[in-house]
């Protein structure tokens, strides 16, 4: 009986992880190949420096908006094994609207210009961009059964 319960829990966990793996953030974006990918879990699988990611993402935000921007923009991207990218979801927890942030421009830049330094397997990096007074920082997030949602070291 215990063995059956354990198997059922494993199956439910796999189904849940599979459903979660599609879109992490509430605003979904169409147009990406989401056929097969996993989440980064305990280590970074798609490598790119946080500085390069910040530069790429913020280049589409008008300087006047950027200077007053506060909060966090969370972005989920698929990193393909050919080192290309596609943005699939986001969450805006900043003091500016998506239009002011130019999320359309950010998506276009990620899809057309973000080339990873290396990708171990097709994964979906989750990047949190923090806009503070005179500072922009980034955190790479992972999701695992042992740690839930947590920060990864680059």
């Amino acid at each position: 009986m215990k063995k059956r319960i354990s198997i059922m829990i494993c199956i439910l966990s796999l189904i849940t992880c599979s459903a979660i793996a599609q879109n992490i953030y509430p605003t979904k974006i169409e147009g990406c190949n989401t056929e097969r990918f996993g989440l980064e879990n305990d280590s970074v699988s798609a490598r790119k420096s946080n500085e390069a990611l910040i530069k790429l993402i913020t280049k589409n935000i008008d300087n006047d908006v950027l200077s007053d921007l506060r909060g966090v923009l969370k972005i989920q991207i698929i990193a393909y094994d050919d080192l290309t990218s596609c943005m699939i979801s986001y969450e805006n927890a900043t003091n500016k609207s998506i239009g002011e942030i130019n999320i359309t421009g950010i998506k276009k830049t990620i899809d057309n210009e973000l080339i990873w330094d290396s990708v171990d397997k097709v994964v979906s990096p989750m990047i949190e961009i923090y806009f503070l007074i005179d500072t922009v920082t980034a955190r790479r997030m992972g999701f695992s059964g042992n740690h839930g949602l947590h920060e990864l070291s680059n």
Side-chain angles (χ1 to χ4, degrees):
M1 183 68 170
K2 282 185 179 183
K3 189 174 182 178
R4 284 185 188 166
I5 292 173
S6 294
I7 292 171
M8 293 285 284
I9 290 171
C10 286
I11 290 170
L12 287 173
S13 294
L14 287 173
I15 291 169
T16 302
C17 286
S18 216
I20 289 172
Q22 291 304 306
N23 296 100
I24 297 299
Y25 301 120
T27 305
K28 282 92 173 118
I29 304 172
E30 299 296 320
C32 298
N33 177 0
T34 58
E35 193 173 303
R36 192 172 197 200
F37 69 90
L39 297 174
E40 289 184 310
N41 46 42
D42 292 322
S43 62
V44 172
S45 299
R47 286 168 198 69
K48 193 74 166 179
S49 73
N50 282 350
E51 293 77 19
L53 292 168
I54 290 168
K55 185 176 181 180
L56 193 75
I57 291 165
T58 58
K59 82 180 214 172
N60 289 284
I61 303 172
D62 182 84
N63 285 333
D64 289 336
V65 173
L66 191 57
S67 67
D68 292 330
L69 189 56
R70 303 290 179 269
V72 61
L73 178 64
K74 300 175 183 182
I75 298 174
Q76 181 187 9
I77 301 167
I78 297 179
Y80 299 107
D81 51 9
D82 67 356
L83 306 181
T84 61
S85 308
C86 195
M87 185 172 147
I88 64 170
S89 73
Y90 67 90
E91 179 179 342
N92 180 22
T94 71
N95 62 334
K96 300 292 181 180
S97 72
I98 283 304
E100 291 173 296
I101 293 171
N102 188 14
I103 200 72
T104 304
I106 292 171
K107 166 140 175 79
K108 186 175 180 180
T109 299
I110 288 172
D111 292 0
N112 296 319
E113 298 179 31
L114 176 53
I115 305 297
W116 299 93
D117 297 330
S118 66
V119 174
D120 296 340
K121 58 185 176 185
V122 179
V123 294
S124 182
M126 295 174 286
I127 303 161
E128 295 183 352
I129 308 293
Y130 289 85
F131 300 93
L132 309 167
I133 298 171
D134 298 324
T135 307
V136 180
T137 61
R139 291 184 356 168
R140 292 285 296 272
M141 304 303 289
F143 186 85
S144 71
N146 293 334
H147 302 106
L149 186 65
H150 63 283
E151 184 174 5
L152 300 175
S153 59
N154 219 0

